[in-house]
Amino acid sequence: MSDPSDIDPLFGARVVTQISAGLSQKGVRAHNERLLLSLLQRHGGLPASELARRAGLSPPTVSVILRRLESEGVIERGEPMRGKVGKPSMPMLVRPDGALSWGLKIGRRSADLVLMDLTGVIRAERRLTYARPIPETVFAFLARSIEEIAATLDPVQRSCLCGIGVAAPFELWNRPTHATNGPEDVFGAWHTVDLRAQVEALTGLSVIVLNDATAACQAEQVYGRGREFRDYAYIFIGAFVGGGVVLNHSVYEGRQGNAGALGSIRSVGPNGEAMQLADMASIHVLERRLRESDLDPDLLWRQPLDWSGLERHVDPWLGRVAQELARASLSICAVIDFEAILIDGAFPAEIRQDLVERVRRYLANQDVRGLIPPRIEPGNIGPNARALGAASAPIFSQFMLNTNAGLAVA
C-alpha cells in the first residue's frame, strides 16, 4: 500500500469515508474498477505503478483490475514511455470504443443529439431548431437522427451502446408568459410527458434524465476547465439561465436532482418588481430585443457560434447580464465558499469572454462584506455542453466514480 501522502487527493482514500453503507467483496471490486477508470479519464494515460500510487492500492491489485478491464475492451495499452532508467513503463489508456453513449438535449429553442465515445469525443451529432418545443416534433427528430447515425455503426460499435442521457430544463412547461414566444399550451404539453418512458420506447436503451444545466456542468467538469477547481458554481446561459454545483471535484445533483437552480435566484425588474435571474440574464431577453427591432431571433439558435452583425443589440444585453451575474455570484458564495464561478452559454466564445470580463469589473464594485469574492472564469465547452453532459451520464453511471455519492444519501 502506498504512503497516504502519495494518494491522489481526488480519488484516493478520502472517498471511502463518504460511503454510507458497507461494501461486499464484489462492491469493493467494482469501486476500485471505477476508481482506476476515473483516474485514467481525468489524468490521461498512466502506468500501473502510478495508478497504484494515486489510488492508494497495492500494485498486484491494480494489475489484476487492469487486466480485467483490458480484456473487457474498456482500456488499452499506450506506447511505452522511455527516457528513464530501467524498463520502459506502459501507460494504460481509456479505450474510445470501450463504450458509446447518446446524449439528447431538449431546449426551449433547439434540440441536439450527439453520439459520444468513452473519451468524450463526439462521433456524430444532429441539431433541430424551432420556435417552440412541440413534443411530437422533438421525438420524431430523435427517432430519425438515431436511425441515421446508427446506420453508420458496425455491429461491434452497436454492442457498445450503453444508454442515452436526456438533458431538459427543470419544469420545461413552467415559464412566465412574458418570457415565452407562442401559446403557453405548447410548453404545458410537456407537463404530462414521461420523458424516460418515451425515450426508452423509441430507443430500447436505458435512459437517464437530468436537468440541462446540471448536464452542462457535468460536461465542463469532465471535459472542460472544471478540473482546475475543487468547489465551484457553474452558470450556463441558454434560452434561460441555469447552473450547477461542484463539490469535491464532482457535480452535486441534490436530493431531487435540482441542485444549482441558479436561474431562480431573486432579482429586481426595471420597475422594482420581484423577478428571477432567469428573467433578467437569459438569451430570451436578447430575443425580445431583436424582435422589437424587426430582426429574426432564430439567428441566435441557427448560428450559435456566429453572432456577427448583432453587436448593436448584443452589447446592451451583455451589460445587463453582467450586472445580474455579478450580484448573483455573491449571493451564491454567501451559501458555499466557492473558489470560482464558471460562466458558459449557448453563444460564441468571444461573447463569453466579453461577458466574463464585464462580470469581473462589476464584481469589483460590489459590497463584499463578510464574503470572499470568487474568481470569475469562462467555461470552454460552449453550446454543446448540455448534450455532451447528457451523453456522459450513462457512461459515468456505469464506469466512473462519483465522489459525492455519499452526500446524496438521505
Side-chain angles (χ1 to χ4, degrees):
M1 179 72 72
S2 302
D3 184 271
S5 63
D6 292 333
I7 294 174
D8 189 285
L10 172 57
F11 295 116
R14 182 179 62 193
V15 172
V16 177
T17 66
Q18 296 174 342
I19 299 173
S20 60
L23 294 176
S24 64
Q25 184 175 355
K26 183 178 179 181
V28 170
R29 184 170 65 247
H31 173 89
N32 289 338
E33 287 180 355
R34 288 171 177 262
L35 170 58
L36 296 186
L37 282 171
S38 296
L39 284 168
L40 290 174
Q41 185 278 325
R42 181 175 180 84
H43 297 289
L46 295 172
S49 59
E50 181 65 11
L51 280 168
R53 185 187 71 81
R54 288 176 179 269
L57 299 172
S58 69
T61 297
V62 169
S63 295
V64 169
I65 295 173
L66 292 180
R67 284 197 298 271
R68 182 164 56 244
L69 292 175
E70 187 178 12
S71 69
E72 294 172 355
V74 180
I75 63 175
E76 60 187 4
R77 297 168 188 253
E79 293 295 324
M81 300 170 63
R82 305 181 186 277
K84 296 182 180 180
V85 177
K87 183 180 178 181
S89 59
M90 181 73 69
M92 302 304 296
L93 303 163
V94 173
R95 182 172 171 267
D97 279 335
L100 297 173
S101 177
W102 300 101
L104 172 67
K105 183 272 292 185
I106 302 173
R108 294 184 172 87
R109 297 294 183 267
S110 64
D112 295 279
L113 179 74
V114 301
L115 178 66
M116 188 183 80
D117 68 26
L118 192 53
T119 62
V121 173
I122 294 178
R123 298 290 188 87
E125 57 185 313
R126 297 288 188 275
R127 182 175 178 81
L128 173 71
T129 61
Y130 38 66
R132 294 174 294 280
I134 300 171
E136 293 79 8
T137 301
V138 172
F139 291 128
F141 159 75
L142 171 63
R144 180 176 65 254
S145 298
I146 281 188
E147 182 179 3
E148 291 173 359
I149 297 172
T152 68
L153 304 178
D154 61 39
V156 175
Q157 290 173 320
R158 289 195 192 98
S159 70
C160 291
L161 290 167
C162 67
I164 178 169
V166 180
F170 180 70
E171 294 185 349
L172 175 58
W173 61 88
N174 187 17
R175 298 311 307 172
T177 303
H178 73 271
T180 60
N181 176 29
E184 284 295 300
D185 59 355
V186 173
F187 288 89
W190 288 95
H191 201 175
T192 58
V193 171
D194 186 333
L195 260 180
R196 181 176 285 102
Q198 288 271 18
V199 174
E200 185 175 329
L202 281 172
T203 65
L205 296 168
S206 62
V207 180
I208 297 177
V209 178
L210 62 164
N211 176 270
D212 62 337
T214 300
C217 184
Q218 176 73 11
E220 190 67 49
Q221 170 61 20
V222 178
Y223 307 113
R225 294 197 61 203
R227 288 176 286 188
E228 301 175 27
F229 310 99
R230 172 175 168 172
D231 304 310
Y232 65 90
Y234 172 85
I235 297 174
F236 188 90
I237 300 173
F240 291 89
V241 65
V245 170
V246 171
L247 301 173
N248 189 28
H249 298 286
S250 284
V251 176
Y252 179 65
E253 297 184 8
R255 183 171 58 89
Q256 299 186 66
N258 196 39
L262 307 183
S264 296
I265 289 177
R266 310 313 299 177
S267 182
V268 178
N271 298 316
E273 68 272 33
M275 305 284 275
Q276 292 188 350
L277 183 64
D279 302 317
M280 307 295 292
S282 300
I283 293 179
H284 84 82
V285 177
L286 179 56
E287 284 185 307
R288 190 164 64 242
R289 285 179 178 271
L290 295 180
R291 200 174 293 113
E292 290 170 353
S293 299
D294 294 324
L295 293 175
D296 182 6
D298 286 349
L299 291 170
L300 301 171
W301 310 106
R302 290 199 301 266
Q303 302 172 175
L305 299 180
D306 181 10
W307 284 8
S308 58
L310 300 176
E311 292 83 1
R312 184 166 67 90
H313 305 280
V314 171
D315 190 72
W317 172 77
L318 278 174
R320 184 58 182 266
V321 171
Q323 291 183 58
E324 294 291 337
L325 294 189
R327 287 193 289 265
S329 294
L330 293 181
S331 296
I332 292 166
C333 289
V335 180
I336 296 178
D337 181 19
F338 287 115
E339 179 183 358
I341 306 288
L342 269 60
I343 298 173
D344 202 355
F347 38 52
E350 62 270 18
I351 298 293
R352 175 179 60 208
Q353 188 60 43
D354 189 356
L355 176 60
V356 166
E357 291 171 359
R358 291 176 187 235
V359 174
R360 288 170 178 165
R361 291 197 297 269
Y362 279 117
L363 192 62
N365 297 315
Q366 297 294 309
D367 183 353
V368 296
R369 288 174 297 172
L371 299 173
I372 301 175
R375 292 173 56 182
I376 304 297
E377 298 290 337
N380 65 359
I381 303 296
N384 257 347
R386 292 163 293 180
L388 193 64
S392 74
I395 286 175
F396 267 69
S397 71
Q398 296 180 42
F399 296 98
M400 306 299 175
L401 191 69
N402 179 5
T403 56
N404 280 334
L407 298 177
V409 176

